[in-house]
Amino acid sequence: MINKLTEKIKKTHAPVVVGLDPMLSYIPDHILQTSFTEYGETLEGAADAIWRFNKGIVDSTYDLIPAVKPQIAMYEQFGVPGVAAFQKTVDYCHEKGLLVIGDVKRGDIGSTSAAYAVGHLGNVAVGNNRLSAFGEEFATVNPYLGTDGVQPFIDVCKEERKGLFILVKTSNPSSGEFQDRLIDGRPLYEYVGEKVAQWGAQHMGGAYSYIGAVVGATYPQVGRVLRKIMPKTYILVPGYGAQGGKGADLVHYFNEDGLGAIVNSSRGIIAAYKQEQYARFGALHYAEASRQAVLDMIQDIDHALQAAK
Amino acid sequence: MINKLTEKIKKTHAPVVVGLDPMLSYIPDHILQTSFTEYGETLEGAADAIWRFNKGIVDSTYDLIPAVKPQIAMYEQFGVPGVAAFQKTVDYCHEKGLLVIGDVKRGDIGSTSAAYAVGHLGNVAVGNNRLSAFGEEFATVNPYLGTDGVQPFIDVCKEERKGLFILVKTSNPSSGEFQDRLIDGRPLYEYVGEKVAQWGAQHMGGAYSYIGAVVGATYPQVGRVLRKIMPKTYILVPGYGAQGGKGADLVHYFNEDGLGAIVNSSRGIIAAYKQEQYARFGALHYAEASRQAVLDMIQDIDHALQAAK
């Protein structure tokens, strides 16, 4: 699946992923009104609104990008109807030819990690059937529990040709509390990065491994170090845009082949129409604002990569 | 909510939680047949079977125990119907007066952690309504992302009088890969334990904090150290029974008041009828086997605590 992601990135010239992390406050009134009229101000109504909102953005951007990254928390907060909207979003993105990175940050041990892995990336056995549940191509995984927690995900990825992005260094201000603690003079995230490279070596798809890493855009120097520790690891980079990361900060997350990293923007794209820069589109044309924001993001990253050559 | 948990533990004399982590391989044929006849060998069929299986165990044990801990991965693997069975299980446990610890091990940052928190422990705003989604009393949380990841959960807990159990030292063999790394001569889990105690001090419910910890039963010496580092923290202890932990190993997880810890057993209880010790009950009476296994577990822990006095 990493081969497929790499091909799509080459084809679109866009190492960019749109984070489908809908909050009700991002959704234009005309969509909320439609959904609330049909389902009331209920969990079902909220789920319908986020699905409609997503559909608009996907329809408006799918030809520009290789992948989307729905953040399941934004769906799970609306309970079972919300999770159904997550499923509907994943299915629709597949219809439009997009790869889906399930931003689920799951992580447990043994048979429990295996259950998450089959549910999100694989097939679950029910009687004589093998059934796909959520069916994303990639999932994000939390490494705190060690190899026991990650290996069941890797096993499913091998079987199903799917991939992972494992949290190494996250983009938030307090990520350093544990991730930066020094062990023999080196921060914990470097050890986690080494493990990711080691896990990934078991499962290569061409030049890159199916087992990727998450490294936040907000720590460019860390990106440079981790790029060297994990040369064959695809790095998923959150924190672009709304969290403060810019294209110029990200050049060291990429390899010299111009590959090896894919940058996520969520709010900066899906709520673009709320920014001054894109206000001219208006709420009714929110999806066109998102398209323009994607084009601008692609250009920003491309310029930064060209300037670094 | 920790007050309520403490009261219920005192009343039942059972610092015990039953892990509702159903695997299809645990479920007796008569239940599978009923569900597959009605729904086919589908995700809906699997979800119906785990719900029926759970109901039997809850009906047979609810008077003995203060709480249950459904592991959401075991439901999520069956997609949306599985998540609906999780919800149904939580609701039914509430009907029977049980507290529910959602073993979700979620952890993200900022508004994303807040979304998980409102979905599992709080109320989500939809228009003018505030709606409960999953509605557990406690959730397990992964600390790898630091305070930014945990604080949104704490904020919801304060508002809703709910609680957390934060992963400090997990029960699996490779938990040491990162959790045991030495920082200035002390393992990472001690620093995480200190943070839990610090986070918890903001939010006390009587003698104990609403912010608890997870410390695996398989590392008794670690339990002793962490008990001292987190004197007012309730410790949720997985790994009893099937994973190897015994009552005698657990006495140092408790405080001198006989409180401060609650021990989980999953497979050892819910699949008791598959063990030689309880085989006499047979698959048809699996729930009675679970009841006997709960009684034996309560006695084992009680004897160990008495012997340690």
PDB file of all heavy atoms in Angstrom, chain B residues 246-269:
ATOM      1  N   LYS B 246      -1.560 -13.480  40.340  1.00  0.00           N
ATOM      2  CA  LYS B 246      -2.347 -14.147  41.396  1.00  0.00           C
ATOM      3  C   LYS B 246      -2.619 -13.162  42.522  1.00  0.00           C
ATOM      4  O   LYS B 246      -1.906 -12.166  42.659  1.00  0.00           O
ATOM      5  CB  LYS B 246      -1.539 -15.313  41.968  1.00  0.00           C
ATOM      6  CG  LYS B 246      -1.361 -16.474  41.024  1.00  0.00           C
ATOM      7  CD  LYS B 246      -0.643 -17.634  41.745  1.00  0.00           C
ATOM      8  CE  LYS B 246      -0.122 -18.628  40.727  1.00  0.00           C
ATOM      9  NZ  LYS B 246       1.335 -18.560  40.523  1.00  0.00           N
ATOM     10  N   GLY B 247      -3.603 -13.479  43.355  1.00  0.00           N
ATOM     11  CA  GLY B 247      -3.952 -12.598  44.467  1.00  0.00           C
ATOM     12  C   GLY B 247      -2.747 -12.220  45.318  1.00  0.00           C
ATOM     13  O   GLY B 247      -2.565 -11.054  45.666  1.00  0.00           O
ATOM     14  N   ALA B 248      -1.907 -13.221  45.621  1.00  0.00           N
ATOM     15  CA  ALA B 248      -0.761 -12.967  46.497  1.00  0.00           C
ATOM     16  C   ALA B 248       0.212 -11.952  45.904  1.00  0.00           C
ATOM     17  O   ALA B 248       0.934 -11.263  46.629  1.00  0.00           O
ATOM     18  CB  ALA B 248      -0.032 -14.281  46.796  1.00  0.00           C
ATOM     19  N   ASP B 249       0.239 -11.858  44.572  1.00  0.00           N
ATOM     20  CA  ASP B 249       1.136 -10.889  43.918  1.00  0.00           C
ATOM     21  C   ASP B 249       0.642  -9.457  44.060  1.00  0.00           C
ATOM     22  O   ASP B 249       1.383  -8.512  43.774  1.00  0.00           O
ATOM     23  CB  ASP B 249       1.224 -11.180  42.411  1.00  0.00           C
ATOM     24  CG  ASP B 249       1.791 -12.559  42.113  1.00  0.00           C
ATOM     25  OD1 ASP B 249       2.633 -13.026  42.901  1.00  0.00           O
ATOM     26  OD2 ASP B 249       1.381 -13.160  41.099  1.00  0.00           O
ATOM     27  N   LEU B 250      -0.620  -9.315  44.440  1.00  0.00           N
ATOM     28  CA  LEU B 250      -1.277  -8.017  44.276  1.00  0.00           C
ATOM     29  C   LEU B 250      -1.411  -7.197  45.552  1.00  0.00           C
ATOM     30  O   LEU B 250      -1.889  -6.073  45.514  1.00  0.00           O
ATOM     31  CB  LEU B 250      -2.665  -8.216  43.658  1.00  0.00           C
ATOM     32  CG  LEU B 250      -2.644  -8.931  42.304  1.00  0.00           C
ATOM     33  CD1 LEU B 250      -4.056  -9.091  41.768  1.00  0.00           C
ATOM     34  CD2 LEU B 250      -1.785  -8.181  41.311  1.00  0.00           C
ATOM     35  N   VAL B 251      -0.986  -7.783  46.687  1.00  0.00           N
ATOM     36  CA  VAL B 251      -1.256  -7.091  47.956  1.00  0.00           C
ATOM     37  C   VAL B 251      -0.615  -5.707  48.021  1.00  0.00           C
ATOM     38  O   VAL B 251      -1.172  -4.796  48.636  1.00  0.00           O
ATOM     39  CB  VAL B 251      -0.824  -7.940  49.183  1.00  0.00           C
ATOM     40  CG1 VAL B 251      -1.741  -9.137  49.332  1.00  0.00           C
ATOM     41  CG2 VAL B 251       0.633  -8.377  49.074  1.00  0.00           C
ATOM     42  N   HIS B 252       0.521  -5.533  47.328  1.00  0.00           N
ATOM     43  CA  HIS B 252       1.193  -4.229  47.418  1.00  0.00           C
ATOM     44  C   HIS B 252       0.598  -3.174  46.496  1.00  0.00           C
ATOM     45  O   HIS B 252       1.021  -2.023  46.513  1.00  0.00           O
ATOM     46  CB  HIS B 252       2.689  -4.377  47.158  1.00  0.00           C
ATOM     47  CG  HIS B 252       3.332  -5.318  48.117  1.00  0.00           C
ATOM     48  ND1 HIS B 252       3.360  -5.078  49.476  1.00  0.00           N
ATOM     49  CD2 HIS B 252       3.899  -6.527  47.938  1.00  0.00           C
ATOM     50  CE1 HIS B 252       3.952  -6.091  50.084  1.00  0.00           C
ATOM     51  NE2 HIS B 252       4.288  -6.995  49.172  1.00  0.00           N
ATOM     52  N   TYR B 253      -0.377  -3.571  45.706  1.00  0.00           N
ATOM     53  CA  TYR B 253      -1.102  -2.588  44.892  1.00  0.00           C
ATOM     54  C   TYR B 253      -2.160  -1.890  45.741  1.00  0.00           C
ATOM     55  O   TYR B 253      -2.688  -0.845  45.355  1.00  0.00           O
ATOM     56  CB  TYR B 253      -1.787  -3.256  43.696  1.00  0.00           C
ATOM     57  CG  TYR B 253      -0.846  -3.821  42.643  1.00  0.00           C
ATOM     58  CD1 TYR B 253      -0.045  -4.923  42.918  1.00  0.00           C
ATOM     59  CD2 TYR B 253      -0.766  -3.259  41.383  1.00  0.00           C
ATOM     60  CE1 TYR B 253       0.807  -5.452  41.950  1.00  0.00           C
ATOM     61  CE2 TYR B 253       0.079  -3.787  40.409  1.00  0.00           C
ATOM     62  CZ  TYR B 253       0.868  -4.878  40.700  1.00  0.00           C
ATOM     63  OH  TYR B 253       1.697  -5.397  39.751  1.00  0.00           O
ATOM     64  N   PHE B 254      -2.484  -2.504  46.880  1.00  0.00           N
ATOM     65  CA  PHE B 254      -3.517  -1.947  47.763  1.00  0.00           C
ATOM     66  C   PHE B 254      -2.873  -1.079  48.833  1.00  0.00           C
ATOM     67  O   PHE B 254      -1.703  -1.277  49.204  1.00  0.00           O
ATOM     68  CB  PHE B 254      -4.292  -3.080  48.437  1.00  0.00           C
ATOM     69  CG  PHE B 254      -5.206  -3.828  47.494  1.00  0.00           C
ATOM     70  CD1 PHE B 254      -4.713  -4.843  46.669  1.00  0.00           C
ATOM     71  CD2 PHE B 254      -6.556  -3.515  47.418  1.00  0.00           C
ATOM     72  CE1 PHE B 254      -5.543  -5.528  45.799  1.00  0.00           C
ATOM     73  CE2 PHE B 254      -7.398  -4.199  46.551  1.00  0.00           C
ATOM     74  CZ  PHE B 254      -6.890  -5.205  45.736  1.00  0.00           C
ATOM     75  N   ASN B 255      -3.657  -0.147  49.373  1.00  0.00           N
ATOM     76  CA  ASN B 255      -3.238   0.594  50.545  1.00  0.00           C
ATOM     77  C   ASN B 255      -3.637  -0.160  51.806  1.00  0.00           C
ATOM     78  O   ASN B 255      -4.336  -1.178  51.748  1.00  0.00           O
ATOM     79  CB  ASN B 255      -3.882   1.996  50.537  1.00  0.00           C
ATOM     80  CG  ASN B 255      -3.113   2.972  49.653  1.00  0.00           C
ATOM     81  OD1 ASN B 255      -1.880   2.974  49.646  1.00  0.00           O
ATOM     82  ND2 ASN B 255      -3.848   3.805  48.918  1.00  0.00           N
ATOM     83  N   GLU B 256      -3.212   0.368  52.955  1.00  0.00           N
ATOM     84  CA  GLU B 256      -3.516  -0.321  54.215  1.00  0.00           C
ATOM     85  C   GLU B 256      -5.003  -0.323  54.546  1.00  0.00           C
ATOM     86  O   GLU B 256      -5.468  -1.142  55.337  1.00  0.00           O
ATOM     87  CB  GLU B 256      -2.700   0.304  55.351  1.00  0.00           C
ATOM     88  CG  GLU B 256      -1.249  -0.155  55.264  1.00  0.00           C
ATOM     89  CD  GLU B 256      -0.363   0.469  56.323  1.00  0.00           C
ATOM     90  OE1 GLU B 256      -0.905   1.072  57.280  1.00  0.00           O
ATOM     91  OE2 GLU B 256       0.870   0.339  56.189  1.00  0.00           O
ATOM     92  N   ASP B 257      -5.753   0.599  53.944  1.00  0.00           N
ATOM     93  CA  ASP B 257      -7.205   0.621  54.150  1.00  0.00           C
ATOM     94  C   ASP B 257      -7.901  -0.483  53.350  1.00  0.00           C
ATOM     95  O   ASP B 257      -9.134  -0.571  53.351  1.00  0.00           O
ATOM     96  CB  ASP B 257      -7.791   2.002  53.797  1.00  0.00           C
ATOM     97  CG  ASP B 257      -7.487   2.431  52.353  1.00  0.00           C
ATOM     98  OD1 ASP B 257      -6.904   1.618  51.601  1.00  0.00           O
ATOM     99  OD2 ASP B 257      -7.818   3.577  51.987  1.00  0.00           O
ATOM    100  N   GLY B 258      -7.108  -1.304  52.649  1.00  0.00           N
ATOM    101  CA  GLY B 258      -7.694  -2.378  51.825  1.00  0.00           C
ATOM    102  C   GLY B 258      -8.301  -1.868  50.529  1.00  0.00           C
ATOM    103  O   GLY B 258      -8.923  -2.615  49.784  1.00  0.00           O
ATOM    104  N   LEU B 259      -8.108  -0.569  50.281  1.00  0.00           N
ATOM    105  CA  LEU B 259      -8.651   0.041  49.064  1.00  0.00           C
ATOM    106  C   LEU B 259      -7.494   0.480  48.157  1.00  0.00           C
ATOM    107  O   LEU B 259      -6.347   0.147  48.392  1.00  0.00           O
ATOM    108  CB  LEU B 259      -9.525   1.247  49.435  1.00  0.00           C
ATOM    109  CG  LEU B 259     -10.774   0.929  50.266  1.00  0.00           C
ATOM    110  CD1 LEU B 259     -11.399   2.219  50.792  1.00  0.00           C
ATOM    111  CD2 LEU B 259     -11.785   0.142  49.433  1.00  0.00           C
ATOM    112  N   GLY B 260      -7.831   1.202  47.110  1.00  0.00           N
ATOM    113  CA  GLY B 260      -6.785   1.784  46.262  1.00  0.00           C
ATOM    114  C   GLY B 260      -6.442   0.965  45.042  1.00  0.00           C
ATOM    115  O   GLY B 260      -5.665   1.404  44.197  1.00  0.00           O
ATOM    116  N   ALA B 261      -7.015  -0.243  44.930  1.00  0.00           N
ATOM    117  CA  ALA B 261      -6.764  -1.033  43.726  1.00  0.00           C
ATOM    118  C   ALA B 261      -8.020  -1.794  43.344  1.00  0.00           C
ATOM    119  O   ALA B 261      -8.842  -2.151  44.201  1.00  0.00           O
ATOM    120  CB  ALA B 261      -5.614  -2.009  43.948  1.00  0.00           C
ATOM    121  N   ILE B 262      -8.178  -2.027  42.061  1.00  0.00           N
ATOM    122  CA  ILE B 262      -9.264  -2.845  41.552  1.00  0.00           C
ATOM    123  C   ILE B 262      -8.674  -3.735  40.456  1.00  0.00           C
ATOM    124  O   ILE B 262      -7.946  -3.266  39.578  1.00  0.00           O
ATOM    125  CB  ILE B 262     -10.464  -1.981  41.089  1.00  0.00           C
ATOM    126  CG1 ILE B 262     -11.639  -2.876  40.691  1.00  0.00           C
ATOM    127  CG2 ILE B 262     -10.102  -1.006  39.987  1.00  0.00           C
ATOM    128  CD1 ILE B 262     -12.972  -2.148  40.702  1.00  0.00           C
ATOM    129  N   VAL B 263      -8.935  -5.028  40.590  1.00  0.00           N
ATOM    130  CA  VAL B 263      -8.240  -6.017  39.768  1.00  0.00           C
ATOM    131  C   VAL B 263      -9.174  -6.517  38.670  1.00  0.00           C
ATOM    132  O   VAL B 263     -10.312  -6.909  38.940  1.00  0.00           O
ATOM    133  CB  VAL B 263      -7.790  -7.209  40.651  1.00  0.00           C
ATOM    134  CG1 VAL B 263      -6.998  -8.213  39.818  1.00  0.00           C
ATOM    135  CG2 VAL B 263      -6.964  -6.706  41.835  1.00  0.00           C
ATOM    136  N   ASN B 264      -8.675  -6.500  37.441  1.00  0.00           N
ATOM    137  CA  ASN B 264      -9.483  -6.965  36.308  1.00  0.00           C
ATOM    138  C   ASN B 264      -9.115  -8.395  35.920  1.00  0.00           C
ATOM    139  O   ASN B 264      -7.954  -8.766  35.878  1.00  0.00           O
ATOM    140  CB  ASN B 264      -9.234  -6.070  35.093  1.00  0.00           C
ATOM    141  CG  ASN B 264     -10.013  -6.544  33.869  1.00  0.00           C
ATOM    142  OD1 ASN B 264     -11.215  -6.363  33.786  1.00  0.00           O
ATOM    143  ND2 ASN B 264      -9.337  -7.203  32.929  1.00  0.00           N
ATOM    144  N   SER B 265     -10.143  -9.175  35.617  1.00  0.00           N
ATOM    145  CA  SER B 265      -9.912 -10.434  34.919  1.00  0.00           C
ATOM    146  C   SER B 265     -10.905 -10.513  33.769  1.00  0.00           C
ATOM    147  O   SER B 265     -12.085 -10.218  33.939  1.00  0.00           O
ATOM    148  CB  SER B 265     -10.095 -11.625  35.863  1.00  0.00           C
ATOM    149  OG  SER B 265      -9.929 -12.831  35.132  1.00  0.00           O
ATOM    150  N   SER B 266     -10.419 -10.883  32.604  1.00  0.00           N
ATOM    151  CA  SER B 266     -11.283 -10.959  31.422  1.00  0.00           C
ATOM    152  C   SER B 266     -11.501 -12.427  31.077  1.00  0.00           C
ATOM    153  O   SER B 266     -12.460 -13.046  31.535  1.00  0.00           O
ATOM    154  CB  SER B 266     -10.650 -10.205  30.253  1.00  0.00           C
ATOM    155  OG  SER B 266     -10.463  -8.845  30.583  1.00  0.00           O
ATOM    156  N   ARG B 267     -10.573 -12.988  30.308  1.00  0.00           N
ATOM    157  CA  ARG B 267     -10.720 -14.363  29.821  1.00  0.00           C
ATOM    158  C   ARG B 267     -10.977 -15.343  30.965  1.00  0.00           C
ATOM    159  O   ARG B 267     -11.802 -16.242  30.852  1.00  0.00           O
ATOM    160  CB  ARG B 267      -9.439 -14.747  29.079  1.00  0.00           C
ATOM    161  CG  ARG B 267      -9.598 -15.902  28.140  1.00  0.00           C
ATOM    162  CD  ARG B 267      -8.300 -16.223  27.381  1.00  0.00           C
ATOM    163  NE  ARG B 267      -7.230 -15.245  27.556  1.00  0.00           N
ATOM    164  CZ  ARG B 267      -5.926 -15.547  27.474  1.00  0.00           C
ATOM    165  NH1 ARG B 267      -5.536 -16.786  27.237  1.00  0.00           N
ATOM    166  NH2 ARG B 267      -5.014 -14.608  27.636  1.00  0.00           N
ATOM    167  N   GLY B 268     -10.250 -15.136  32.089  1.00  0.00           N
ATOM    168  CA  GLY B 268     -10.380 -16.042  33.235  1.00  0.00           C
ATOM    169  C   GLY B 268     -11.799 -16.110  33.768  1.00  0.00           C
ATOM    170  O   GLY B 268     -12.200 -17.103  34.379  1.00  0.00           O
ATOM    171  N   ILE B 269     -12.578 -15.056  33.560  1.00  0.00           N
ATOM    172  CA  ILE B 269     -13.978 -15.039  34.012  1.00  0.00           C
ATOM    173  C   ILE B 269     -14.916 -15.389  32.861  1.00  0.00           C
ATOM    174  O   ILE B 269     -15.727 -16.313  32.963  1.00  0.00           O
ATOM    175  CB  ILE B 269     -14.375 -13.640  34.558  1.00  0.00           C
ATOM    176  CG1 ILE B 269     -13.458 -13.180  35.680  1.00  0.00           C
ATOM    177  CG2 ILE B 269     -15.849 -13.628  34.977  1.00  0.00           C
ATOM    178  CD1 ILE B 269     -13.566 -13.932  36.975  1.00  0.00           C
TER     179      ILE B 269
END
